[in-house]
Amino acid sequence: MHYALDENYFRGYEWWLMKEAKKRNPKITLMGLPWSFPGWLGKGFNWPYVNLQLTAYYVVSWIVGAKHYHDLDIDYIGIWNERAFDINYIKVLRRMLNYQGLQQVKIIASDNLWEPISASMLVDSELLRVIDVIGAHYPGTRTVKDARLTEKKLWSSEDFSTLNSDVGAGCWGRILNQNYINGYMTATIAWNLVASYYEQLPYGRCGLMTAQEPWSGHYVVEAPIWISAHTTQFTQPGWYYLKTVGHLEKGGSYVALTDGLGNLTIIVETMSHKHSMCIRPLLPYFNVSRQFATFSLKGSFSEIPELQVWYTKLGKPSERFLFKQLDSLWLLDSGGSFTLELQEDELFTLTTLTTGSKGSYLLPPKSQPFPCVYKDDFNVDYPFFSEAPNFADQTGVFEYFMNIEDPGEHRFTLRQVLNQRPITWAADAFNTISIIGDYKWSNLTIKCDVYLETPEKGGVFIAGRVNKGGILIRSARGVFFWIFANGTYRVTGDLAGWIIYTSGHADVTAKKWYTLTLTINGGFSSGTLNGKPLWKNVSVNFPKNGWAAIGTHSFEFAQFDNFRVEAIH
């Protein structure tokens, strides 16, 4: 809902992603959590709790729309990612969900720290009743007493966020076990699923796998995927941890789970300190060394004849194995006990389930840089996605748009569609910006048709060598070529517009198409308006490289067409 009366359940990629996930695993859990909110909910304040009913209506509409338009059942809904919660809002949200017949949708709170949510629940019986799960972010495998006293499910509802190297895999393997052993958490959610964004943005390659080259189709199934498999292929939501879980004598840990129907899965990890540090929090030192661990199966488990064995060893390529099936263990002669020899940085799954398999996939296409010459005229009659490929919106929203009244060459455009600043999660810029291309680009020409929709106040830019994005977007440097509806132009060294290289008058007004060209070569840049030089040989020393970009001066409607970039490698 970009605007108050606007509802559209076909924007973005998330609907597609949820449906693709359901195709592969119909039982997969779906959760929603707002990071930011549309600005109109705040009535002029950067705060989602100005009108509790309105915010609850917005969130519930999304859940209802997921079912109505995509047949997707949202299982859990959160409050506000890593920001303040409002006790009355949580209660209003529960009442509105129930009123809509969504009693089965559970509430998770507060996707921040264990406190103050846990203490608040202990002193407010209604709040305790309406929250189903306490979710904490990056808990470092630990919980707090208040959280346990609530007797609610405890989840690490965001964790990992670490480069998906073998160290990231070690981090993931360690916390998947120890979040339960140390902190009683029965779910651990990795942020993020797939690293499918430009690598030089913040948290580059912090996904369980990497797929960051849609132009080549190259992807890498990284080690954390196979670490996940050690747990997820041999357990399901609804399985129970046994009380017999814990730390091994010489470092490492083990957990055991059952479905209550006789199946047993044991997961053992011996991740070393050096090879399992997550991005946060700080990991106190511990030592892991070679050891023998003996496990005894008692009670009904003593009759298990055989356990399947899956094995991972991280580290040196010569010794490295990822999710390899070993010979199964026969237990009938040994009275239900077995001994494992454990080295550091290993993972064993021992299980009664025989359904494990190391999936295979065709060799992905070779990695390639972003094409040096790239163009998009946005002429798509019925786009499958609302946004154009390869453009990565850092602030604002750029969508395919059809000009009903322009039958000419600008019938199909890309339009910035936010007309007010969102209730922000991170430090969004005060301008809108979408980046594209190769971060290594230095010398290049960017050409784009632009259309200002706001008289007097409107402004748009094209840019090169843009060096920052994500949570750092406000401090992005680069070479920015702006034109304004008041008949001026400006060239700045930053998105915020503090560093002015040159400025002057330009024959520009709103509601008319113009073609801008920005050329950057070595330490100099120049720009043209409708093919005529507007400024030239302006000195630009920093940064040396970065993405190309388009954007607007404020949260205003503006259109872009016939985008073209040519980079000289």
Side-chain angles (χ1 to χ4, degrees):
M1 299 171 75
H2 293 330
Y3 329 106
L5 297 172
D6 165 51
E7 284 183 52
N8 182 326
Y9 297 92
F10 298 92
R11 289 184 178 129
Y13 61 87
E14 291 86 351
W15 306 111
W16 170 85
L17 187 64
M18 287 190 278
K19 286 189 279 196
E20 290 294 320
K22 284 284 189 188
K23 282 182 197 171
R24 288 153 179 79
N25 175 7
K27 293 202 303 233
I28 201 164
T29 302
L30 298 178
M31 308 174 60
L33 174 64
W35 254 247
S36 55
F37 295 83
W40 55 269
L41 282 176
K43 312 270 189 197
F45 295 90
N46 193 36
W47 191 244
Y49 308 123
V50 174
N51 182 331
L52 304 182
Q53 271 74 20
L54 192 61
T55 298
Y57 165 77
Y58 161 78
V59 169
V60 172
S61 296
W62 182 80
I63 298 171
V64 170
K67 182 65 176 170
H68 182 87
Y69 293 98
H70 301 283
D71 198 25
L72 291 167
D73 293 298
I74 304 299
D75 301 295
Y76 294 86
I77 190 73
I79 307 305
W80 189 12
N81 181 63
E82 292 172 5
R83 295 291 177 265
F85 61 89
D86 179 293
I87 289 171
N88 288 323
Y89 167 71
I90 299 172
K91 295 172 182 177
V92 166
L93 178 62
R94 179 74 270 165
R95 284 199 286 274
M96 201 173 288
L97 285 166
N98 292 353
Y99 185 73
Q100 287 289 333
L102 295 167
Q103 288 84 357
Q104 76 285 1
V105 178
K106 296 184 165 73
I107 290 178
I108 174 166
S110 67
D111 282 289
N112 200 348
L113 305 174
W114 294 114
E115 298 291 17
I117 190 68
S118 302
S120 304
M121 290 166 71
L122 292 175
V123 297
D124 183 329
S125 60
E126 188 189 350
L127 186 67
L128 185 69
R129 192 170 71 249
V130 301
I131 294 172
D132 299 280
V133 176
I134 305 179
H137 287 195
Y138 307 95
T141 77
R142 306 275 167 188
T143 187
V144 299
K145 189 177 173 199
D146 280 353
R148 293 198 58 206
L149 285 173
T150 65
E151 298 185 2
K152 294 288 179 176
K153 285 181 180 163
L154 308 182
W155 288 7
S156 174
S157 54
E158 185 181 319
D159 220 324
F160 179 62
S161 191
T162 302
L163 186 74
N164 57 27
S165 62
D166 270 17
V167 174
C171 151
W172 188 227
R174 177 176 57 78
I175 66 179
L176 277 176
N177 265 19
Q178 297 196 24
N179 274 348
Y180 182 72
I181 297 164
N182 301 338
Y184 304 95
M185 287 165 261
T186 54
T188 298
I189 299 173
W191 186 92
N192 52 61
L193 179 68
V194 185
S196 287
Y197 46 92
Y198 293 114
E199 188 171 342
Q200 296 83 0
L201 286 169
Y203 308 105
R205 270 189 54 202
C206 289
L208 296 178
M209 61 174 278
T210 307
Q212 58 189 20
E213 289 184 21
W215 51 89
S216 73
H218 176 72
Y219 63 91
V220 187
V221 181
E222 310 277 9
I225 288 285
W226 301 117
I227 299 290
S228 304
H230 273 276
T231 294
T232 58
Q233 285 203 19
F234 309 108
T235 61
Q236 286 294 330
W239 281 47
Y240 295 90
Y241 281 99
L242 301 180
K243 288 212 169 84
T244 46
V245 302
H247 292 270
L248 297 164
E249 202 173 303
K250 294 190 172 171
S253 71
Y254 63 96
V255 294
L257 299 101
T258 183
D259 59 356
L261 304 170
N263 281 306
L264 173 68
T265 291
I266 303 165
I267 305 148
V268 184
E269 62 81 22
T270 57
M271 299 304 159
S272 63
H273 183 268
K274 190 166 92 184
H275 295 140
S276 73
M277 289 163 117
C278 304
I279 195 168
R280 68 178 76 86
L282 188 72
L283 181 63
Y285 183 75
F286 59 87
N287 194 50
V288 180
S289 54
R290 179 172 171 265
Q291 62 191 310
F292 291 90
T294 301
F295 295 83
S296 305
L297 304 188
K298 297 281 170 71
S300 60
F301 293 137
S302 64
E303 285 157 41
I304 291 171
E306 181 185 11
L307 289 174
Q308 308 297 314
V309 183
W310 292 84
Y311 173 69
T312 287
K313 167 87 175 172
L314 299 171
K316 288 198 223 88
S318 56
E319 306 163 6
R320 193 165 175 265
F321 293 102
L322 292 174
F323 199 59
K324 179 180 158 73
Q325 187 165 19
L326 305 183
D327 292 340
S328 60
L329 284 174
W330 284 90
L331 303 172
L332 290 179
D333 310 335
S334 60
S337 78
F338 60 91
T339 299
L340 296 179
E341 181 185 355
L342 302 170
Q343 315 277 357
E344 60 179 47
D345 299 321
E346 290 184 333
L347 201 51
F348 282 90
T349 299
L350 309 122
T351 180
T352 53
L353 297 183
T354 54
T355 47
S357 78
K358 181 157 184 181
S360 62
Y361 52 96
L362 296 170
L363 196 65
K366 278 214 290 288
S367 174
Q368 283 171 356
F370 194 94
C372 289
V373 177
Y374 182 83
K375 48 182 187 285
D376 194 340
D377 59 13
F378 311 115
N379 291 355
V380 190
D381 262 332
Y382 298 102
F384 188 72
F385 289 111
S386 60
E387 299 168 324
N390 301 313
F391 280 92
D393 302 353
Q394 302 302 302
T395 295
V397 176
F398 294 76
E399 290 180 349
Y400 284 119
F401 182 69
M402 184 161 85
N403 278 314
I404 313 292
E405 64 266 22
D406 190 333
E409 69 154 322
H410 298 298
R411 185 165 167 80
F412 297 103
T413 66
L414 191 68
R415 188 186 193 216
Q416 199 295 116
V417 294
L418 292 198
N419 60 357
Q420 84 186 93
R421 186 176 169 77
I423 296 166
T424 56
W425 174 74
D428 297 31
F430 285 91
N431 332 78
T432 73
I433 175 171
S434 192
I435 60 168
I436 189 167
D438 190 326
Y439 193 77
K440 297 189 185 83
W441 281 349
S442 180
N443 298 333
L444 71 168
T445 298
I446 303 147
K447 185 177 181 183
C448 192
D449 300 343
V450 300
Y451 183 88
L452 294 150
E453 295 189 37
T454 311
E456 300 305 321
K457 290 197 173 81
V460 299
F461 71 82
I462 62 173
R465 295 187 185 173
V466 177
N467 73 342
K468 286 195 177 96
I471 52 174
L472 306 173
I473 189 62
R474 283 164 90 129
S475 56
R477 296 281 306 268
V479 182
F480 296 80
F481 174 18
W482 309 78
I483 60 166
F484 296 94
N486 67 2
T488 62
Y489 76 90
R490 207 175 293 164
V491 184
T492 68
D494 62 335
L495 176 63
W498 296 109
I499 304 161
I500 299 175
Y501 289 143
T502 186
S503 65
H505 290 282
D507 191 9
V508 171
T509 176
K511 317 241 173 192
K512 214 172 141 198
W513 281 98
Y514 299 93
T515 302
L516 300 184
T517 309
L518 168 64
T519 301
I520 313 171
N521 203 332
F524 296 96
S525 67
S526 53
T528 72
L529 174 67
N530 289 343
K532 297 194 193 79
L534 192 58
W535 49 280
K536 51 172 164 277
N537 293 335
V538 166
S539 173
V540 293
N541 298 316
F542 180 86
K544 297 285 184 241
N545 57 279
W547 297 290
I550 57 174
T552 66
H553 181 61
S554 63
F555 288 91
E556 61 186 276
F557 297 117
Q559 294 176 55
F560 302 84
D561 202 2
N562 300 318
F563 176 86
R564 187 176 193 279
V565 60
E566 185 166 348
I568 303 136
H569 267 283

mmCIF file of all heavy atoms in Angstrom, residues 426-462:
data_model
loop_
_atom_site.group_PDB
_atom_site.id
_atom_site.type_symbol
_atom_site.label_atom_id
_atom_site.label_comp_id
_atom_site.label_asym_id
_atom_site.label_seq_id
_atom_site.Cartn_x
_atom_site.Cartn_y
_atom_site.Cartn_z
ATOM 1 N N ALA A 426 15.996 1.724 8.787
ATOM 2 C CA ALA A 426 17.372 2.219 8.800
ATOM 3 C C ALA A 426 17.369 3.678 8.332
ATOM 4 O O ALA A 426 16.328 4.288 8.143
ATOM 5 C CB ALA A 426 18.240 1.356 7.895
ATOM 6 N N ALA A 427 18.558 4.211 8.145
ATOM 7 C CA ALA A 427 18.696 5.614 7.736
ATOM 8 C C ALA A 427 18.556 5.723 6.220
ATOM 9 O O ALA A 427 19.544 5.790 5.503
ATOM 10 C CB ALA A 427 20.050 6.147 8.197
ATOM 11 N N ASP A 428 17.323 5.712 5.735
ATOM 12 C CA ASP A 428 17.101 5.918 4.307
ATOM 13 C C ASP A 428 17.598 7.316 3.928
ATOM 14 O O ASP A 428 17.686 8.200 4.771
ATOM 15 C CB ASP A 428 15.605 5.833 3.965
ATOM 16 C CG ASP A 428 15.023 4.458 4.257
ATOM 17 O OD1 ASP A 428 15.513 3.803 5.184
ATOM 18 O OD2 ASP A 428 14.075 4.066 3.580
ATOM 19 N N ALA A 429 17.868 7.490 2.646
ATOM 20 C CA ALA A 429 18.252 8.821 2.179
ATOM 21 C C ALA A 429 17.006 9.715 2.121
ATOM 22 O O ALA A 429 15.874 9.228 2.212
ATOM 23 C CB ALA A 429 18.895 8.719 0.800
ATOM 24 N N PHE A 430 17.227 11.017 1.956
ATOM 25 C CA PHE A 430 16.096 11.930 1.750
ATOM 26 C C PHE A 430 15.787 12.063 0.262
ATOM 27 O O PHE A 430 14.809 12.673 -0.117
ATOM 28 C CB PHE A 430 16.378 13.294 2.394
ATOM 29 C CG PHE A 430 16.249 13.230 3.888
ATOM 30 C CD1 PHE A 430 17.346 12.950 4.686
ATOM 31 C CD2 PHE A 430 15.000 13.388 4.495
ATOM 32 C CE1 PHE A 430 17.218 12.860 6.070
ATOM 33 C CE2 PHE A 430 14.860 13.295 5.878
ATOM 34 C CZ PHE A 430 15.978 13.029 6.671
ATOM 35 N N ASN A 431 16.656 11.466 -0.563
ATOM 36 C CA ASN A 431 16.401 11.382 -2.001
ATOM 37 C C ASN A 431 16.084 9.922 -2.310
ATOM 38 O O ASN A 431 16.420 9.042 -1.531
ATOM 39 C CB ASN A 431 17.664 11.762 -2.796
ATOM 40 C CG ASN A 431 18.558 12.724 -2.033
ATOM 41 O OD1 ASN A 431 19.283 12.317 -1.137
ATOM 42 N ND2 ASN A 431 18.508 13.979 -2.391
ATOM 43 N N THR A 432 15.458 9.662 -3.451
ATOM 44 C CA THR A 432 15.297 8.267 -3.855
ATOM 45 C C THR A 432 16.438 7.912 -4.804
ATOM 46 O O THR A 432 16.965 8.772 -5.519
ATOM 47 C CB THR A 432 13.952 8.020 -4.557
ATOM 48 O OG1 THR A 432 13.989 8.601 -5.868
ATOM 49 C CG2 THR A 432 12.797 8.619 -3.765
ATOM 50 N N ILE A 433 16.831 6.648 -4.791
ATOM 51 C CA ILE A 433 17.954 6.218 -5.644
ATOM 52 C C ILE A 433 17.873 4.725 -5.905
ATOM 53 O O ILE A 433 17.558 3.934 -5.006
ATOM 54 C CB ILE A 433 19.316 6.598 -5.002
ATOM 55 C CG1 ILE A 433 20.485 6.042 -5.844
ATOM 56 C CG2 ILE A 433 19.414 6.135 -3.541
ATOM 57 C CD1 ILE A 433 21.864 6.546 -5.430
ATOM 58 N N SER A 434 18.133 4.341 -7.152
ATOM 59 C CA SER A 434 18.238 2.935 -7.529
ATOM 60 C C SER A 434 19.574 2.749 -8.233
ATOM 61 O O SER A 434 19.901 3.510 -9.148
ATOM 62 C CB SER A 434 17.077 2.531 -8.445
ATOM 63 O OG SER A 434 17.021 1.125 -8.577
ATOM 64 N N ILE A 435 20.336 1.756 -7.796
ATOM 65 C CA ILE A 435 21.677 1.531 -8.355
ATOM 66 C C ILE A 435 21.662 0.355 -9.325
ATOM 67 O O ILE A 435 20.775 -0.498 -9.280
ATOM 68 C CB ILE A 435 22.722 1.280 -7.249
ATOM 69 C CG1 ILE A 435 22.340 0.044 -6.414
ATOM 70 C CG2 ILE A 435 22.879 2.517 -6.364
ATOM 71 C CD1 ILE A 435 23.441 -0.459 -5.505
ATOM 72 N N ILE A 436 22.664 0.323 -10.207
ATOM 73 C CA ILE A 436 22.751 -0.746 -11.212
ATOM 74 C C ILE A 436 24.188 -0.865 -11.699
ATOM 75 O O ILE A 436 24.930 0.117 -11.712
ATOM 76 C CB ILE A 436 21.790 -0.465 -12.401
ATOM 77 C CG1 ILE A 436 21.710 -1.684 -13.330
ATOM 78 C CG2 ILE A 436 22.173 0.807 -13.158
ATOM 79 C CD1 ILE A 436 20.567 -1.628 -14.335
ATOM 80 N N GLY A 437 24.573 -2.086 -12.077
ATOM 81 C CA GLY A 437 25.840 -2.248 -12.782
ATOM 82 C C GLY A 437 26.926 -2.924 -11.968
ATOM 83 O O GLY A 437 26.658 -3.731 -11.093
ATOM 84 N N ASP A 438 28.167 -2.560 -12.282
ATOM 85 C CA ASP A 438 29.345 -3.193 -11.707
ATOM 86 C C ASP A 438 30.048 -2.177 -10.809
ATOM 87 O O ASP A 438 30.388 -1.076 -11.252
ATOM 88 C CB ASP A 438 30.275 -3.628 -12.843
ATOM 89 C CG ASP A 438 31.413 -4.518 -12.358
ATOM 90 O OD1 ASP A 438 31.888 -4.318 -11.226
ATOM 91 O OD2 ASP A 438 31.834 -5.403 -13.124
ATOM 92 N N TYR A 439 30.263 -2.555 -9.566
ATOM 93 C CA TYR A 439 30.902 -1.644 -8.609
ATOM 94 C C TYR A 439 32.312 -1.236 -9.045
ATOM 95 O O TYR A 439 32.810 -0.190 -8.647
ATOM 96 C CB TYR A 439 30.961 -2.332 -7.244
ATOM 97 C CG TYR A 439 31.321 -1.402 -6.102
ATOM 98 C CD1 TYR A 439 30.381 -0.526 -5.574
ATOM 99 C CD2 TYR A 439 32.604 -1.409 -5.541
ATOM 100 C CE1 TYR A 439 30.687 0.327 -4.527
ATOM 101 C CE2 TYR A 439 32.925 -0.563 -4.482
ATOM 102 C CZ TYR A 439 31.957 0.305 -3.984
ATOM 103 O OH TYR A 439 32.277 1.141 -2.938
ATOM 104 N N LYS A 440 32.921 -2.065 -9.899
ATOM 105 C CA LYS A 440 34.288 -1.758 -10.350
ATOM 106 C C LYS A 440 34.312 -0.707 -11.464
ATOM 107 O O LYS A 440 35.377 -0.232 -11.842
ATOM 108 C CB LYS A 440 34.977 -3.037 -10.848
ATOM 109 C CG LYS A 440 35.157 -4.099 -9.778
ATOM 110 C CD LYS A 440 36.033 -5.239 -10.302
ATOM 111 C CE LYS A 440 36.139 -6.373 -9.308
ATOM 112 N NZ LYS A 440 34.986 -7.318 -9.379
ATOM 113 N N TRP A 441 33.135 -0.380 -12.021
ATOM 114 C CA TRP A 441 33.093 0.599 -13.105
ATOM 115 C C TRP A 441 33.724 1.922 -12.680
ATOM 116 O O TRP A 441 33.427 2.441 -11.604
ATOM 117 C CB TRP A 441 31.645 0.869 -13.524
ATOM 118 C CG TRP A 441 31.055 -0.177 -14.419
ATOM 119 C CD1 TRP A 441 31.710 -1.200 -15.043
ATOM 120 C CD2 TRP A 441 29.677 -0.292 -14.796
ATOM 121 N NE1 TRP A 441 30.811 -1.945 -15.783
ATOM 122 C CE2 TRP A 441 29.566 -1.406 -15.655
ATOM 123 C CE3 TRP A 441 28.531 0.446 -14.495
ATOM 124 C CZ2 TRP A 441 28.361 -1.813 -16.218
ATOM 125 C CZ3 TRP A 441 27.322 0.045 -15.052
ATOM 126 C CH2 TRP A 441 27.237 -1.074 -15.899
ATOM 127 N N SER A 442 34.544 2.478 -13.575
ATOM 128 C CA SER A 442 35.183 3.765 -13.293
ATOM 129 C C SER A 442 34.879 4.765 -14.410
ATOM 130 O O SER A 442 34.293 5.814 -14.181
ATOM 131 C CB SER A 442 36.688 3.565 -13.141
ATOM 132 O OG SER A 442 37.305 4.793 -12.869
ATOM 133 N N ASN A 443 35.278 4.422 -15.631
ATOM 134 C CA ASN A 443 35.051 5.310 -16.784
ATOM 135 C C ASN A 443 33.814 4.830 -17.535
ATOM 136 O O ASN A 443 33.767 3.695 -17.993
ATOM 137 C CB ASN A 443 36.265 5.303 -17.711
ATOM 138 C CG ASN A 443 37.490 5.823 -16.980
ATOM 139 O OD1 ASN A 443 37.381 6.607 -16.040
ATOM 140 N ND2 ASN A 443 38.668 5.372 -17.398
ATOM 141 N N LEU A 444 32.838 5.724 -17.657
ATOM 142 C CA LEU A 444 31.585 5.275 -18.267
ATOM 143 C C LEU A 444 30.746 6.458 -18.752
ATOM 144 O O LEU A 444 30.985 7.606 -18.371
ATOM 145 C CB LEU A 444 30.764 4.433 -17.279
ATOM 146 C CG LEU A 444 30.085 5.098 -16.078
ATOM 147 C CD1 LEU A 444 29.116 4.119 -15.430
ATOM 148 C CD2 LEU A 444 31.091 5.568 -15.039
ATOM 149 N N THR A 445 29.782 6.124 -19.624
ATOM 150 C CA THR A 445 28.787 7.100 -20.072
ATOM 151 C C THR A 445 27.410 6.554 -19.737
ATOM 152 O O THR A 445 27.095 5.405 -20.071
ATOM 153 C CB THR A 445 28.905 7.352 -21.588
ATOM 154 O OG1 THR A 445 30.188 7.906 -21.850
ATOM 155 C CG2 THR A 445 27.839 8.320 -22.067
ATOM 156 N N ILE A 446 26.610 7.366 -19.063
ATOM 157 C CA ILE A 446 25.248 7.000 -18.708
ATOM 158 C C ILE A 446 24.312 7.952 -19.440
ATOM 159 O O ILE A 446 24.509 9.166 -19.406
ATOM 160 C CB ILE A 446 25.012 7.119 -17.190
ATOM 161 C CG1 ILE A 446 26.010 6.259 -16.416
ATOM 162 C CG2 ILE A 446 23.586 6.733 -16.817
ATOM 163 C CD1 ILE A 446 26.392 6.840 -15.089
ATOM 164 N N LYS A 447 23.309 7.370 -20.100
ATOM 165 C CA LYS A 447 22.359 8.179 -20.857
ATOM 166 C C LYS A 447 20.965 7.748 -20.462
ATOM 167 O O LYS A 447 20.686 6.545 -20.345
ATOM 168 C CB LYS A 447 22.590 7.944 -22.357
ATOM 169 C CG LYS A 447 21.759 8.810 -23.284
ATOM 170 C CD LYS A 447 22.142 8.510 -24.730
ATOM 171 C CE LYS A 447 21.349 9.359 -25.700
ATOM 172 N NZ LYS A 447 21.676 9.015 -27.088
ATOM 173 N N CYS A 448 20.076 8.712 -20.231
ATOM 174 C CA CYS A 448 18.730 8.350 -19.807
ATOM 175 C C CYS A 448 17.770 9.486 -20.108
ATOM 176 O O CYS A 448 18.103 10.661 -19.935
ATOM 177 C CB CYS A 448 18.723 8.053 -18.305
ATOM 178 S SG CYS A 448 17.202 7.277 -17.720
ATOM 179 N N ASP A 449 16.561 9.136 -20.578
ATOM 180 C CA ASP A 449 15.493 10.124 -20.725
ATOM 181 C C ASP A 449 14.812 10.286 -19.368
ATOM 182 O O ASP A 449 14.537 9.288 -18.689
ATOM 183 C CB ASP A 449 14.461 9.656 -21.752
ATOM 184 C CG ASP A 449 15.076 9.439 -23.134
ATOM 185 O OD1 ASP A 449 16.180 9.944 -23.361
ATOM 186 O OD2 ASP A 449 14.441 8.743 -23.955
ATOM 187 N N VAL A 450 14.557 11.530 -18.980
ATOM 188 C CA VAL A 450 13.948 11.783 -17.673
ATOM 189 C C VAL A 450 12.750 12.712 -17.808
ATOM 190 O O VAL A 450 12.671 13.514 -18.744
ATOM 191 C CB VAL A 450 14.971 12.389 -16.677
ATOM 192 C CG1 VAL A 450 16.140 11.430 -16.463
ATOM 193 C CG2 VAL A 450 15.475 13.744 -17.163
ATOM 194 N N TYR A 451 11.821 12.581 -16.866
ATOM 195 C CA TYR A 451 10.565 13.343 -16.905
ATOM 196 C C TYR A 451 10.197 13.743 -15.480
ATOM 197 O O TYR A 451 9.916 12.890 -14.626
ATOM 198 C CB TYR A 451 9.481 12.457 -17.513
ATOM 199 C CG TYR A 451 8.127 13.086 -17.699
ATOM 200 C CD1 TYR A 451 7.813 13.783 -18.868
ATOM 201 C CD2 TYR A 451 7.129 12.929 -16.727
ATOM 202 C CE1 TYR A 451 6.544 14.323 -19.058
ATOM 203 C CE2 TYR A 451 5.857 13.465 -16.919
ATOM 204 C CZ TYR A 451 5.577 14.167 -18.088
ATOM 205 O OH TYR A 451 4.311 14.691 -18.278
ATOM 206 N N LEU A 452 10.229 15.036 -15.222
ATOM 207 C CA LEU A 452 9.860 15.563 -13.903
ATOM 208 C C LEU A 452 8.354 15.727 -13.843
ATOM 209 O O LEU A 452 7.769 16.308 -14.747
ATOM 210 C CB LEU A 452 10.528 16.921 -13.680
ATOM 211 C CG LEU A 452 12.054 16.905 -13.572
ATOM 212 C CD1 LEU A 452 12.639 18.208 -14.082
ATOM 213 C CD2 LEU A 452 12.469 16.676 -12.139
ATOM 214 N N GLU A 453 7.721 15.233 -12.796
ATOM 215 C CA GLU A 453 6.266 15.391 -12.669
ATOM 216 C C GLU A 453 5.874 16.522 -11.731
ATOM 217 O O GLU A 453 4.721 16.936 -11.717
ATOM 218 C CB GLU A 453 5.646 14.066 -12.194
ATOM 219 C CG GLU A 453 5.804 12.934 -13.205
ATOM 220 C CD GLU A 453 4.997 11.696 -12.834
ATOM 221 O OE1 GLU A 453 3.876 11.840 -12.302
ATOM 222 O OE2 GLU A 453 5.491 10.575 -13.076
ATOM 223 N N THR A 454 6.831 17.005 -10.924
ATOM 224 C CA THR A 454 6.504 18.038 -9.924
ATOM 225 C C THR A 454 6.989 19.410 -10.389
ATOM 226 O O THR A 454 8.200 19.629 -10.492
ATOM 227 C CB THR A 454 7.167 17.701 -8.573
ATOM 228 O OG1 THR A 454 6.895 16.336 -8.256
ATOM 229 C CG2 THR A 454 6.644 18.603 -7.466
ATOM 230 N N PRO A 455 6.079 20.350 -10.690
ATOM 231 C CA PRO A 455 6.500 21.694 -11.122
ATOM 232 C C PRO A 455 7.305 22.400 -10.016
ATOM 233 O O PRO A 455 7.099 22.134 -8.832
ATOM 234 C CB PRO A 455 5.179 22.424 -11.376
ATOM 235 C CG PRO A 455 4.151 21.346 -11.512
ATOM 236 C CD PRO A 455 4.624 20.214 -10.668
ATOM 237 N N GLU A 456 8.223 23.289 -10.439
ATOM 238 C CA GLU A 456 9.030 24.132 -9.543
ATOM 239 C C GLU A 456 9.988 23.361 -8.636
ATOM 240 O O GLU A 456 11.181 23.557 -8.670
ATOM 241 C CB GLU A 456 8.139 25.057 -8.676
ATOM 242 C CG GLU A 456 7.271 26.026 -9.483
ATOM 243 C CD GLU A 456 8.079 26.895 -10.448
ATOM 244 O OE1 GLU A 456 9.188 27.326 -10.071
ATOM 245 O OE2 GLU A 456 7.598 27.121 -11.573
ATOM 246 N N LYS A 457 9.427 22.444 -7.834
ATOM 247 C CA LYS A 457 10.231 21.793 -6.800
ATOM 248 C C LYS A 457 10.919 20.507 -7.256
ATOM 249 O O LYS A 457 11.804 20.002 -6.580
ATOM 250 C CB LYS A 457 9.348 21.446 -5.594
ATOM 251 C CG LYS A 457 8.877 22.645 -4.783
ATOM 252 C CD LYS A 457 8.382 22.144 -3.414
ATOM 253 C CE LYS A 457 8.057 23.274 -2.460
ATOM 254 N NZ LYS A 457 6.730 23.867 -2.706
ATOM 255 N N GLY A 458 10.467 19.914 -8.373
ATOM 256 C CA GLY A 458 10.947 18.586 -8.765
ATOM 257 C C GLY A 458 12.412 18.569 -9.162
ATOM 258 O O GLY A 458 12.959 19.572 -9.612
ATOM 259 N N GLY A 459 13.035 17.408 -8.986
ATOM 260 C CA GLY A 459 14.423 17.230 -9.413
ATOM 261 C C GLY A 459 14.734 15.765 -9.636
ATOM 262 O O GLY A 459 14.215 14.904 -8.920
ATOM 263 N N VAL A 460 15.552 15.483 -10.665
ATOM 264 C CA VAL A 460 15.986 14.098 -10.904
ATOM 265 C C VAL A 460 17.487 14.082 -11.170
ATOM 266 O O VAL A 460 18.078 15.112 -11.468
ATOM 267 C CB VAL A 460 15.260 13.455 -12.118
ATOM 268 C CG1 VAL A 460 13.766 13.394 -11.898
ATOM 269 C CG2 VAL A 460 15.597 14.172 -13.407
ATOM 270 N N PHE A 461 18.085 12.887 -11.078
ATOM 271 C CA PHE A 461 19.515 12.778 -11.384
ATOM 272 C C PHE A 461 19.826 11.464 -12.080
ATOM 273 O O PHE A 461 19.055 10.490 -11.997
ATOM 274 C CB PHE A 461 20.367 12.904 -10.109
ATOM 275 C CG PHE A 461 20.266 11.708 -9.183
ATOM 276 C CD1 PHE A 461 21.023 10.561 -9.397
ATOM 277 C CD2 PHE A 461 19.419 11.745 -8.078
ATOM 278 C CE1 PHE A 461 20.931 9.469 -8.550
ATOM 279 C CE2 PHE A 461 19.322 10.650 -7.220
ATOM 280 C CZ PHE A 461 20.083 9.511 -7.460
ATOM 281 N N ILE A 462 20.964 11.450 -12.788
ATOM 282 C CA ILE A 462 21.632 10.212 -13.168
ATOM 283 C C ILE A 462 23.029 10.306 -12.551
ATOM 284 O O ILE A 462 23.539 11.404 -12.292
ATOM 285 C CB ILE A 462 21.689 10.003 -14.702
ATOM 286 C CG1 ILE A 462 22.499 11.112 -15.381
ATOM 287 C CG2 ILE A 462 20.290 9.913 -15.282
ATOM 288 C CD1 ILE A 462 22.720 10.855 -16.873
#
